[in-house]
């Protein structure tokens, strides 16, 4: 019979993993390079230290290690994975870093590609993967968030260098035809406000021959208007979450855990207050790792699943936000 050869499926969560580089950059050490203090950074952001990748580490390497750990928890063999999406803004290969992860995993049956949406990247990748799985054509996906912002931070800019760190996290998700643990999602972009946070391609010209010039492929440093990004997050995140709760018929009391992109403890507190979500439900590890961009959400998930705080069937509300500007939220049940 002619017609579609697949049906809609739900998705379930099978495993998680993470990787953090071993070099620790404390607030005290940052105070040696810019005019700041441990006290200022802690009170304004909640961050105490962050991890910095070694020179021979990169996004694929970190993402690979996080993926190995997620696959072990899911008890999957490499050949059973059919999709790998890597959320990153700091690729180790501009043509795509996900294929390197696929190759290192020996996941030869997996389609693998990168997705860039800065700090919302993991959430956008999770929703993208869920659409592949719900089509019925793909069964097992690894969704990875891996970023190495230390390569692009302006280490002379005290307004931004204090925030960022490196790391990777991963989730193993599977299609199911009798269960759907992704209850809903909402994703947004507003390019008109993109200038608040960016990592532009430098305008540097080179000459090929005669009068034929080209633009060199070099990137600048992260440039950020901290106050505007702060206001954006505190305003937009509660709105998108409230809309999602309404669409899914959930109340904030139904939520077991809120996992927000780890940007600033004051943002986490303000969003929690606006949504009237009890502080003890807001999970964070920002103090240890800072803002690792696409990696923050899976890093928090992995830490609190492994320490048994998050349990099977817990309801998790998660939201990512950042450059683009981009933001989004998803509501899910672990398991
Ligand atoms: O994934 C999204 C990534 N981006 C973000 O999440 C950024 C969101 N924004 C923020 O987290 C905050 O805006 C920052 C932490 C970046 C800055 O905190 P703030 O409370 O908004 O500080 P501010 O920019 O209003 O600056 C207040 C003062 C200024 O001095 P004056 O003009 O009052 O004398 C700054 O020059 O603090 C000064 N300042 C610092 N002082 C010590 C700015 N950075 C530092 C610093 N140490 N690191």
């Amino acid at each position: 019979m002619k017609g579609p050869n697949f049906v809609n499926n739900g998705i379930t969560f099978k495993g998680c993993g993470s990787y953090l580089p071993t070099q620790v950059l404390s607030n005290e050490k940052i105070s040696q390079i810019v005019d700041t203090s441990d006290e200022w950074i802690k009170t304004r952001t909640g961050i105490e230290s962050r991890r910095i990748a070694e020179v021979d580490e990169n996004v694929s390497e970190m993402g690979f290690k996080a993926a190995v750990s997620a696959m072990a928890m899911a008890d999957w063999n490499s050949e059973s994975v059919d999709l790998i999406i890597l959320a990153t803004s700091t690729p180790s290969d501009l043509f795509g870093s996900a294929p390197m992860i696929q190759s290192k995993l020996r996941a030869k049956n997996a389609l693998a590609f990168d997705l860039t949406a800065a700090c919302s990247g993991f959430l956008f990748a999770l929703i993208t993967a869920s659409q592949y799985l719900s089509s019925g054509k793909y069964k097992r996906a690894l969704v990875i968030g891996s970023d190495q912002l230390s390569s692009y931070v302006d280490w002379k800019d005290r307004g931004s260098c204090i925030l960022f760190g490196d790391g990777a996290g991963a989730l193993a998700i599977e299609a199911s035809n009798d269960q759907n643990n992704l209850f809903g999602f909402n994703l947004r972009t507003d390019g008109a406000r993109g200038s608040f946070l960016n990592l532009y391609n430098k305008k540097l010209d080179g000459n090929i021959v005669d009068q034929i010039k080209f633009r060199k492929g070099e990137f600048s440093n992260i440039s950020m208007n901290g106050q505007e990004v702060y206001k954006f997050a505190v305003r937009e995140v509660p709105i998108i979450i409230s809309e999602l709760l309404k669409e899914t018929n959930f109340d904030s009391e139904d939520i077991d855990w809120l996992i927000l992109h780890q940007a600033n403890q004051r943002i986490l507190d303000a969003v929690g207050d606006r949504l009237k979500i009890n502080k003890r439900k807001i999970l964070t590890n920002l103090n240890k790792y800072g803002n690792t961009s696409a990696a923050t959400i899976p890093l928090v998930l992995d830490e609190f699943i492994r320490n048994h705080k998050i349990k099977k069937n817990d309801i998790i509300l998660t939201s990512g936000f950042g450059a683009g500007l981009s933001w989004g939220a998803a509501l899910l049940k672990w398991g």
Side-chain angles (χ1 to χ4, degrees):
M1 203 175 83
K2 290 180 182 173
N5 63 353
F6 41 78
V7 289
N8 280 359
N9 276 316
I11 71 159
T12 53
F13 298 88
K14 296 291 177 190
C16 55
S18 61
Y19 173 76
L20 286 152
T22 52
Q23 293 192 103
V24 178
L25 180 63
S26 65
N27 290 348
E28 271 88 11
K29 284 191 181 143
I30 289 204
S31 313
Q32 295 170 19
I33 55 165
V34 288
D35 181 14
T36 190
S37 65
D38 175 48
E39 180 60 23
W40 193 96
I41 302 172
K42 266 202 303 225
T43 40
R44 297 286 181 125
T45 71
I47 300 167
E48 292 165 28
S49 62
R50 64 291 288 144
R51 300 295 178 89
I52 305 293
E54 306 270 352
V55 176
D56 60 0
E57 285 183 308
N58 61 31
V59 150
S60 314
E61 193 60 38
M62 294 192 295
F64 163 71
K65 288 175 177 163
V68 166
S69 153
M71 280 177 56
M73 188 187 283
D75 198 18
W76 288 356
N77 66 52
S78 299
E79 291 185 9
S80 70
V81 177
D82 40 28
L83 175 67
I84 298 170
I85 305 183
L86 170 67
T88 188
S89 306
T90 52
S92 26
D93 181 343
L94 281 182
F95 287 156
S97 308
M100 290 185 222
I101 299 179
Q102 183 235 22
S103 159
K104 291 193 91 161
L105 288 172
R106 298 180 201 279
K108 64 176 189 189
N109 298 314
L111 162 69
F113 61 90
D114 293 13
L115 181 153
T116 300
C119 302
S120 310
F122 183 79
L123 203 60
F124 284 23
L126 175 65
I127 301 310
T128 304
S130 76
Q131 304 309 295
Y132 275 79
L133 298 193
S134 76
S135 76
K137 191 162 169 69
Y138 295 79
K139 299 279 181 251
R140 287 182 166 177
L142 287 168
V143 184
I144 305 165
S146 181
D147 263 312
Q148 191 170 5
L149 289 179
S150 64
S151 304
Y152 300 97
V153 163
D154 177 354
W155 290 105
K156 293 189 189 77
D157 175 18
R158 68 173 183 175
S160 62
C161 76
I162 54 159
L163 296 175
F164 301 108
D166 302 332
L171 273 190
I173 67 174
E174 191 165 75
S176 163
N177 48 24
D178 58 6
Q179 222 180 326
N180 190 6
N181 290 348
L182 177 65
F183 297 150
F185 61 88
N186 246 332
L187 307 174
R188 299 272 160 78
T189 305
D190 181 7
R193 286 185 276 173
S195 63
F196 294 155
L197 181 52
N198 36 58
L199 181 38
Y200 286 128
N201 180 231
K202 279 185 189 166
K203 199 174 169 189
L204 284 178
D205 64 315
N207 205 68
I208 302 173
V209 63
D210 298 334
Q211 301 308 313
I212 301 176
K213 295 195 176 227
F214 72 101
R215 186 176 176 134
K216 286 189 179 169
E218 270 184 51
F219 288 87
S220 332
N221 292 123
I222 293 170
S223 120
M224 182 181 79
N225 180 332
Q227 286 188 359
E228 288 297 341
V229 177
Y230 188 98
K231 282 190 273 181
F232 144 74
V234 167
R235 184 184 144 71
E236 301 290 1
V237 173
I239 295 175
I240 204 166
I241 287 181
S242 301
E243 285 172 5
L244 177 60
L245 291 174
K246 202 166 163 208
E247 283 165 18
T248 50
N249 291 317
F250 273 75
D251 289 321
S252 46
E253 300 89 74
D254 299 327
I255 305 307
D256 293 307
W257 308 110
L258 176 64
I259 302 182
L260 298 174
H261 166 53
Q262 307 284 291
N264 182 322
Q265 190 58 45
R266 285 156 56 214
I267 296 179
L268 272 56
D269 294 342
V271 170
D273 285 350
R274 287 196 187 186
L275 292 167
K276 299 192 169 50
I277 290 185
N278 192 313
K279 269 197 168 51
R280 66 169 185 82
K281 294 185 173 183
I282 306 176
L283 299 179
T284 170
N285 56 18
L286 179 72
N287 59 326
K288 294 184 283 190
Y289 311 128
N291 180 345
T292 54
S293 197
T296 66
I297 291 172
L299 277 174
V300 174
L301 254 176
D302 190 50
E303 176 168 336
F304 289 94
I305 282 165
R306 284 177 193 273
N307 71 15
H308 306 291
K309 198 149 183 177
I310 299 177
K311 296 187 176 62
K312 195 167 158 46
N313 295 328
D314 279 358
I315 305 293
I316 302 171
L317 180 57
T318 181
S319 173
F321 51 88
L325 297 178
S326 61
W327 65 107
L331 183 63
L332 55 99
K333 181 163 80 171
W334 182 253

